[in-house]
Amino acid sequence: MNNDPASVRAFFGGKADTWDSKYPDDTPVYEAGVAELGLRTGQSALDAGCGTGRALPALRAAVGASGVVIGADLTPEMLSAAVRAGRDRVALLVEADAARLPLRDGRLDAVFAAGLVHHLPDPAAGLHEFARVCRPGARLALFHPIGRAALAARRGHSLSDDDVRAEPNLRPLLAATGWRLTRYDDAEDRYLALAVRLDG
C-alpha cells in the first residue's frame, strides 16, 4: 500500500465494516495504552487516525464529562463505523488528515495515535502537527496492539531497519519535531512509544 491519502482511504475504507469484528479482543490493550497517557479529569485528548474509535471510550473515561475527546481520521468509512458503534456519543469525530488538523495551536493535553505513524506519507510532518496542536508538557502515545515483530510475522514480512517506529529512527525524529521520547516498549503484545511535548 502506498501512503498517499487516496491509497490510505481506499485501503482502510474497504476494511471498515469488518474492522472491529476482525480484532474483537483488542479493547483491553487499547485501554491499557490510553492509561499510559496519565490523563486527568477535564483535560483534552485527540485520537489521531482513530479508525473505528476503539480508543475513544477509554479516552472519555480518562478525561470525564468535563474533558474534550476528538477522534480524527482520513477515511470516512472508518468514521461511519465509529458512529454505528456509538462512539460518536463519547467524542467529536472529524474527517481530517493527521498532517493538517483543524485545531488551534496548543489546544491539547494528549495525542493517542494507534497504528498511524508508519502510514503517514511524511511522518515528520505528522509528528510536527501533533506538536503544534499540543501545549508544552502534553503527552503523545504511538501505539499498536501488537509489537512490530509480531505484526511483521503476521503479514509475512521481516523487520526493516528503516522502519520509522524503530527506536533508533523514532527518537531523533521525535526530537526534531518537538517531542522527547520518554518510554519505548516494543514487546510481542504491544508497541508503545511515549513522548512529552517540549517547550517552544
Side-chain angles (χ1 to χ4, degrees):
M1 181 187 69
N2 293 326
N3 284 352
D4 63 278
S7 296
V8 170
R9 281 193 191 97
F11 179 83
F12 286 105
K15 298 176 181 298
D17 287 344
T18 58
W19 192 262
D20 283 0
S21 60
K22 187 174 180 180
Y23 305 105
D25 302 321
D26 283 351
T27 298
V29 186
Y30 271 78
E31 291 172 345
V34 168
E36 297 282 0
L37 286 168
L39 286 161
R40 300 186 305 276
T41 299
Q43 290 192 312
S44 55
L46 168 70
D47 184 355
C50 67
T52 62
R54 286 177 293 172
L56 296 175
L59 289 167
R60 172 56 65 196
V63 303
S66 62
V68 174
V69 178
I70 302 164
D73 201 274
L74 187 65
T75 307
E77 293 89 345
M78 282 287 186
L79 294 173
S80 295
V83 170
R84 288 193 298 275
R87 293 166 184 150
D88 58 324
R89 295 194 292 270
V90 298
L92 171 66
L93 300 179
V94 179
E95 184 180 334
D97 186 330
R100 290 188 296 276
L101 295 167
L103 296 170
R104 299 192 314 269
D105 293 0
R107 174 69 181 84
L108 301 174
D109 296 295
V111 174
F112 183 84
L116 175 68
V117 68
H118 60 292
H119 287 301
L120 297 175
D122 184 348
L127 292 169
H128 187 269
E129 180 70 348
F130 297 162
R132 180 189 69 79
V133 299
C134 282
R135 57 180 54 96
R139 295 165 305 284
L140 169 66
L142 303 178
F143 172 83
H144 201 282
I146 63 173
R148 290 190 310 126
L151 182 61
R154 177 192 286 177
R155 295 177 175 170
H157 301 155
S158 57
L159 289 177
S160 170
D161 289 342
D162 63 357
D163 184 345
V164 68
R165 297 165 295 177
E167 185 174 8
N169 302 326
L170 184 63
R171 186 179 293 276
L173 182 60
L174 285 166
T177 54
W179 300 95
R180 177 173 56 85
L181 184 66
T182 59
R183 180 173 174 187
Y184 185 87
D185 181 13
D186 187 10
E188 183 174 347
D189 59 348
R190 78 166 180 187
Y191 173 89
L192 180 70
L194 290 175
V196 173
R197 174 72 167 95
L198 301 171
D199 291 341

